[in-house]
Amino acid sequence: MLAKLKQEIARVGRTASWSWTGFRATWVNEKSLRQWGVINLISAFFVFYLPLSGGERAVLLALGLLILVVELINTAIEETVDFISLERDPRAGRAKDAASAAVAVTAIAGGLAWLVILFS
Ligand SMILES: Nc1ncnc2c1ncn2[C@@H]1O[C@H](COP(=O)(O)OP(=O)(O)OP(=O)(O)O)[C@@H](O)[C@H]1O
């Protein structure tokens, strides 16, 4: 039982370490992740500076982080497509465009949440 628990803790530790490696590599290589990181910091400043409710703060912070999540997935898709083949193919283009659209839609959701909260 204790051995199983130790094994599980070690596995969670390894997974966390790979996740951190993935985040750092994407941060270094992808300018857009760094840009969204800066936007998140600015947004977080105003989230705590303005007199917002706890619920409003939670929504704005969560949507900001969600943009980073989708940007990481976008990078994973781009890297996978390029790893499989660098040949031009409409399916590869559609996969990359769909991933990019996912980032855009998430960013619009974050922007809309800010607008609704500020002007309601
Ligand atoms: N193998 C391919 N076949 C067809 N079209 C492609 C292919 N690779 C890229 N494209 C097209 O070029 C666009 C840009 O792809 P690219 O891999 O250069 O992304 P990127 O410029 O690194 O994007 P980002 O700025 O989001 O990191 C894609 O969204 C897609 O429309």
Side-chain angles (χ1 to χ4, degrees), residues 29-33 71 74-75 78-79 81-82 85-101 103:
N29 294 316
E30 291 293 326
K31 192 176 177 189
S32 45
L33 184 66
E71 188 60 51
N74 176 38
T75 301
E78 279 178 5
E79 292 286 313
V81 168
D82 288 345
S85 171
L86 286 174
E87 250 175 61
R88 308 295 290 181
D89 186 289
R91 289 167 298 184
R94 281 199 298 273
K96 286 189 176 185
D97 289 345
S100 176
V103 177

Side-chain angles (χ1 to χ4, degrees), residues 45-57:
F45 170 79
F46 284 107
V47 159
F48 289 107
Y49 179 75
L50 295 171
L52 303 177
S53 70
E56 289 167 337
R57 286 187 172 130

Side-chain angles (χ1 to χ4, degrees), residues 11-34:
R11 193 191 61 77
V12 170
R14 280 196 303 276
T15 305
S17 150
W18 293 329
S19 302
W20 177 237
T21 301
F23 186 86
R24 265 196 354 237
T26 313
W27 182 268
V28 169
N29 294 316
E30 291 293 326
K31 192 176 177 189
S32 45
L33 184 66
R34 295 196 296 276

